[in-house]
Amino acid sequence: MGSTRPSMQELIGRRRRAGFVGRAEERAVFRRNLDLPPEDERHRFLFHVHGDAGVGKTRLVRELEQIAREAGALTVYVDEGVAGVPEALAVMTRQFAAQGRRFKELERLLAAHRERRHEAEAALAVGGAEDREGPSAGSLAVARAAQAGLGMVPVAGAFAVALDTDRLAEGADRLRARFRSREDVQLVLSPERVLTPVLLDELAAAADTVPWIVLLLDTYERTGPFLDPWLHDVMTTDRYGALPANVVVVTSGQHPFDTARWGSFADFRTDLPLGPFTEAEARGLLADKGVRDEPVVAEVLRLTGGLPVLVTALAEQHPTDPDDVGDPSATAVERFLKWEPDPARRAVALACALPRRLDLDVFRTAVDCRDEEADALFGWLRGLPFVTERRDRLTYHDLVRDAMLRLRRRHSPRGWTREHEKLADAYGGWREETANGLRAGTEWDHEPWRELLLEETYHRLCARPVTALPAALHNLLPACAADPAVGRRWAATMAEAGAGAEAPAVRDWGRRLSQALTEGVSAAMDLLLAWPGLDAAGRAQAHAVRGRELRNAGDFGRALAEYGLAIELDPEQPTVHYGRGLCRRALHDLDGALADLDRADELAPGTALFVAARGETHRMAGRFTEALADFDRAVALDPSDAHALAGRGVCRHALEQYDAALADFDRALGIDAGHLWARVRRARLRGARGEWAEAFADLDETVRRAPGSPWIASERGDAYRRAGRLADAVTELSRATTLLPDYPSALAGRGVALHELGRSEEALADLDRAIALEPGFTWAKEARDRVRRDLPDA
């Protein structure tokens, strides 16, 4: 029988893995922690590695990851490539899957988040899910539910505003209709509220199968602004649920932990501060690489100051001569290049420092070499100790890259400009290629296009900071409109370009905008609106972005004012008229809304979103023939729009075109089986046709998909009532009022069902309460009059 113990060779290999030298105590502390059960008071749940750039934080974190895997742990590694909690969770799911552990429900929700985020612009472009017809008229109740914390509107962060219940009612209906359930709304407005509990459930299931789960969050100085408060909630509160006890978290950044937030967690955390290598550690690494000649060793120690990344880089070149020892202008990077005997490779190393990340296409643009040489040189570059491969792209260590950038910029300013412009032109060409096939005006919704523009902008800012700054600031506007995370990435890129190009104005703009975006999109718009260089079109767009933020938050009055300012400044922007039209519709100015939507359609004919919004506005006004014409056109423009199909089905139902309406609902649900409004409206149609088995099959499916929705419970309860199943109706409508006590629709429906069961006193109490909650509820008033007439003392 073979031994399960590792061999001597394996142990030696572990110690020498990847040339890792030093940090023995830090590795030992982490390894010992994995030998302690979570119940042991000596066990630590959080490790924080911190120190200046170049001290080897990432290398240590990667070594800790390997130690964890050797202990049987599932591990995930997240770095600055993410710009928000959802992106971090997406990285985690991919890495868990690569280790054979699929987080299927979280993967599904992340896919839904990405889809719903892109639908956000349309969330308020459609009418209410309920048409004020009978007891399903729950707009006001839904608004109250939202304010009671059901998650249909945001309550924190950039969207936090004081909401008026009546003004919110219209928006809540449209959000619910478009996004099918409150979960969908939260996936757009507060995704971490939906995603994090599922993550914790998935971790709990995985935790039963492995000894440890280790989450490693690197470059925390960049990701901490959004990950740190989330991580604190996950680890120290039950806001999202319980985190398994066998989870260990490793964070790594340049700064110590925020004691104001984490001070009370000190007994459960271990800090691992890193400084430069000691002389003994540096000598040990050099000796391990065969560098033992004392003059060479002394020169390396002098040049690197013991910074591990530089000691490793120079050791990898196996220098045998100090080569100009004592030259005061020499830097560690220059020394590395001088010790590389091949001038072509030296040129490659410097040229490839200019792009922020490299694939073979970027490499061929940056490097002047024959095609047949490119693959070999790219392979050589990949093997350098300061080059890391992340997500199929190569990146330099920041410290080495910064030094190389300074060298390139100061030695050849004109060459610096020329090379950055060449890279910018290449990215611009790739961006134009990517735009082929995209509908006009949708580019900012396309992530590959955005990323190419971002890199193009970075290189233009590096090449000519003064002339490129205005375009970069103008592009921040649609970046913020696309997604706050996109805006944060844009601002960070500006700060990075400004630092690399030694352009203080660009750097400071990037830093100020990054700080503003931690407060919200409106704060960033305030900064831009205060900039004298923002032209009328840019000012209009800034007001429009702020208007959109307010509109998405349900603050339609203030949003209307922002859109008005935008139109005064630039009356030719169709999306601004569209946005103002939605606000006017929400404020019950249907004629004004139609005028705005007509103008949007004139300025951008053939835009399905605008046409569908006008159709929905006609539908809300009861103009079903006009609405049907618009929906016909919208569907022709975008046959995949499930909501336009559902809207057309509702109009056809109202016009008694039952077969055509059913075909539209079927088609909508074929495109999106989770479109609950379409399924509910199909159930209504089937009930009207007397097809109750099919109607209840649809309603049962909506309850399965949204079991906590009071609206769905009210719909099914009302269907039971219309079908004559009065006891079932009372039961289901009671469930709706349990989910949402102040729900006029459900109370009125239950009152009618109770009356038909002969329980008139209870019926009258329900109807009185429904009318008290919604004084304009005509159907409930008529029902109450009937009940009163039937009472014995009437």
Side-chain angles (χ1 to χ4, degrees):
M1 179 178 295
S3 172
T4 59
R5 292 184 177 180
S7 68
M8 180 184 298
Q9 290 87 343
E10 288 173 322
L11 291 174
I12 292 173
R14 290 178 188 178
R15 296 183 188 182
R16 297 170 60 90
R17 183 174 48 245
F20 199 92
V21 175
R23 311 307 185 198
E25 181 56 31
E26 290 83 357
R27 289 182 288 159
V29 167
F30 185 76
R31 188 178 285 110
R32 284 196 299 270
N33 193 67
L34 299 182
D35 292 332
L36 298 172
E39 299 79 12
D40 192 308
E41 291 188 357
R42 295 169 295 170
H43 179 80
R44 295 296 180 260
F45 299 100
L46 176 63
F47 289 80
H48 182 57
V49 179
H50 60 94
D52 293 336
V55 296
K57 298 185 297 294
T58 294
R59 287 177 64 81
L60 177 59
V61 169
R62 286 299 199 181
E63 177 68 8
L64 300 184
E65 179 181 28
Q66 187 60 38
I67 290 170
R69 289 200 176 189
E70 290 169 358
L74 283 174
T75 71
V76 292
Y77 172 86
V78 178
D79 60 16
E80 76 277 10
V82 303
V85 171
E87 292 184 20
L89 298 187
V91 170
M92 293 181 187
T93 59
R94 289 195 295 270
Q95 293 185 20
F96 279 130
Q99 296 167 75
R101 184 77 197 192
R102 290 283 301 280
F103 283 17
K104 294 182 180 179
E105 179 62 12
L106 185 55
E107 290 175 10
R108 182 189 71 78
L109 285 173
L110 284 165
H113 162 68
R114 290 189 291 271
E115 180 182 338
R116 300 297 178 261
R117 186 185 67 192
H118 291 306
E119 291 177 0
E121 176 62 26
L124 297 174
V126 297
E130 307 172 69
D131 300 317
R132 309 296 296 169
E133 51 187 48
S136 291
S139 298
L140 190 62
V142 171
R144 291 194 180 99
Q147 290 183 315
L150 291 183
M152 291 185 178
V153 294
V155 295
F159 294 92
V161 289
L163 298 178
D164 174 76
T165 300
D166 293 325
R167 188 169 67 239
L168 175 60
E170 288 288 338
D173 272 346
R174 278 190 294 283
L175 288 169
R176 182 188 60 222
R178 178 68 179 185
F179 291 125
R180 280 75 91 179
S181 70
R182 68 180 182 185
E183 176 186 273
D184 286 342
V185 179
Q186 283 184 315
L187 277 173
V188 173
L189 300 177
S190 302
E192 67 280 359
R193 294 186 182 183
V194 178
L195 299 172
T196 308
V198 177
L199 169 70
L200 297 183
D201 288 343
E202 302 267 29
L203 287 173
D208 291 335
T209 66
V210 292
W212 300 103
I213 298 174
V214 179
L215 311 180
L216 304 110
L217 310 177
D218 203 0
T219 55
Y220 211 58
E221 69 275 6
R222 298 185 184 180
T223 60
F226 55 85
L227 283 183
D228 196 56
W230 171 80
L231 182 65
H232 182 267
D233 281 347
V234 167
M235 296 190 71
T236 68
T237 76
D238 59 1
R239 178 180 182 184
Y240 300 116
L243 184 67
N246 61 337
V247 172
V248 176
V249 178
V250 178
T251 56
S252 172
Q254 294 185 9
H255 313 298
F257 241 36
D258 181 356
T259 54
R261 175 175 287 144
W262 290 90
S264 61
F265 205 67
D267 290 343
F268 308 94
R269 184 185 79 239
T270 292
D271 284 330
L272 298 177
L274 299 186
F277 275 162
T278 65
E279 181 174 337
E281 287 175 323
R283 286 180 176 274
L285 188 150
L286 291 168
D288 191 62
K289 296 296 183 181
V291 181
R292 297 183 176 87
D293 185 72
E294 184 55 32
V296 175
V297 171
E299 178 67 356
V300 170
L301 294 176
R302 184 184 74 81
L303 289 171
T304 64
L307 285 176
V309 66
L310 295 181
V311 174
T312 303
L314 298 181
E316 289 286 350
Q317 303 310 307
H318 307 291
T320 59
D321 189 282
D323 194 16
D324 297 331
V325 172
D327 179 357
S329 67
T331 66
V333 173
E334 289 174 305
R335 280 287 182 246
F336 157 69
L337 294 176
K338 288 182 179 180
W339 277 328
E340 170 54 58
D342 186 342
R345 289 182 173 181
R346 290 161 52 193
V348 165
L350 277 173
C352 290
L354 295 184
R356 297 197 298 173
R357 55 190 63 91
L358 287 152
D359 57 22
L360 193 54
D361 291 330
V362 178
F363 177 87
R364 290 175 185 273
T365 302
V367 175
D368 185 14
C369 69
R370 295 190 300 272
D371 286 347
E372 56 269 23
E373 297 175 338
D375 288 342
L377 285 172
F378 190 65
W380 166 80
L381 190 73
R382 178 185 278 117
L384 293 177
F386 55 81
V387 174
T388 303
E389 190 160 0
R390 297 175 181 171
R391 294 175 295 278
D392 301 323
R393 302 268 179 102
L394 304 184
T395 59
Y396 279 32
H397 189 284
D398 286 346
L399 192 67
V400 174
R401 180 170 181 264
D402 289 347
M404 287 188 172
L405 292 179
R406 286 195 300 272
L407 184 67
R408 290 294 301 271
R409 186 180 62 252
R410 293 173 182 176
H411 282 196
S412 179
R414 291 180 180 82
W416 165 273
T417 298
R418 183 173 59 253
E419 294 304 314
H420 275 294
E421 286 184 333
K422 182 169 70 171
L423 286 161
D425 290 343
Y427 275 109
W430 296 328
R431 176 176 55 84
E432 291 175 3
E433 291 174 6
T434 302
N436 290 335
L438 297 178
R439 294 199 310 273
T442 66
E443 295 88 353
W444 280 95
D445 294 328
H446 190 61
E447 185 176 0
W449 184 91
R450 290 198 311 256
E451 290 300 313
L452 290 168
L453 178 59
L454 186 62
E455 296 309 310
E456 178 187 354
T457 300
Y458 168 80
H459 289 293
R460 296 207 188 283
L461 285 169
C462 287
R464 300 187 186 276
V466 174
T467 57
L469 178 59
L473 290 172
H474 277 86
N475 277 330
L476 182 77
L477 295 163
C480 289
D483 189 293
V486 177
R488 288 195 295 269
R489 186 176 286 121
W490 200 272
T493 296
M494 291 179 62
E496 185 178 345
E502 292 188 341
V506 175
R507 180 198 62 210
D508 293 346
W509 263 112
R511 290 176 178 175
R512 285 190 292 148
L513 287 166
S514 293
Q515 178 58 40
L517 284 165
T518 64
E519 303 170 18
V521 171
S522 286
M525 296 304 103
D526 290 341
L527 275 180
L528 290 173
L529 286 168
W531 173 45
L534 193 63
D535 60 17
R539 297 178 70 80
Q541 192 169 17
H543 284 295
V545 169
R546 195 153 59 184
R548 176 181 170 174
E549 181 182 17
L550 292 166
R551 174 169 60 83
N552 285 343
D555 194 351
F556 300 112
R558 289 172 62 199
L560 193 65
E562 292 290 342
Y563 282 124
L565 290 170
I567 289 172
E568 286 179 17
L569 289 163
D570 187 358
E572 302 301 308
Q573 290 298 317
T575 56
V576 181
H577 290 278
Y578 162 79
R580 188 171 71 171
L582 299 185
C583 289
R584 284 178 163 172
R585 190 174 71 191
L587 295 170
H588 310 292
D589 178 9
L590 298 182
D591 289 337
L594 286 169
D596 273 328
L597 294 169
D598 286 343
R599 181 59 177 152
D601 188 36
E602 291 172 8
L603 292 169
T607 303
L609 184 68
F610 302 162
V611 178
R614 188 171 61 189
E616 193 65 20
T617 306
H618 280 305
R619 187 187 75 80
M620 291 174 64
R623 303 170 185 146
F624 297 111
T625 301
E626 294 90 334
L628 183 59
D630 274 333
F631 281 127
D632 281 340
R633 186 176 163 214
V635 170
L637 290 166
D638 184 3
S640 67
D641 187 344
H643 202 88
L645 284 162
R648 187 170 71 175
V650 172
C651 294
R652 285 174 164 171
H653 182 183
L655 294 169
E656 300 184 353
Q657 300 174 15
Y658 296 146
D659 290 341
L662 184 59
D664 275 339
F665 292 135
D666 289 346
R667 187 172 161 193
L669 289 165
I671 293 169
D672 182 358
H675 199 311
L676 297 192
W677 185 53
R679 196 173 292 278
V680 166
R681 295 313 299 249
R682 186 170 72 177
R684 286 194 193 181
L685 173 63
R686 284 173 161 168
R689 289 160 60 114
E691 300 167 354
W692 287 112
E694 293 84 354
F696 284 114
D698 270 337
L699 290 168
D700 292 346
E701 177 63 14
T702 63
V703 172
R704 186 188 71 79
R705 290 176 177 269
S709 168
W711 170 61
I712 297 296
S714 180
E715 286 283 348
R716 187 165 69 167
D718 190 53
Y720 282 137
R721 183 188 62 78
R722 294 198 307 273
R725 296 169 57 177
L726 300 178
D728 289 335
V730 170
T731 298
E732 187 67 356
L733 290 166
S734 295
R735 187 173 78 87
T737 60
T738 299
L739 291 166
L740 180 58
D742 293 338
Y743 197 164
S745 247
L747 289 164
R750 187 173 67 180
V752 171
L754 287 167
H755 178 229
E756 294 181 23
L757 286 169
R759 297 159 61 181
S760 296
E761 293 290 347
E762 296 172 72
L764 188 61
D766 272 347
L767 290 163
D768 284 342
R769 188 174 171 201
I771 294 165
L773 289 167
E774 191 170 346
F777 200 161
T778 303
W779 185 85
K781 289 179 179 179
E782 293 171 351
R784 185 173 65 177
D785 289 343
R786 291 195 301 272
V787 173
R788 285 174 171 171
R789 286 195 299 269
D790 291 344
L791 287 172
D793 58 349

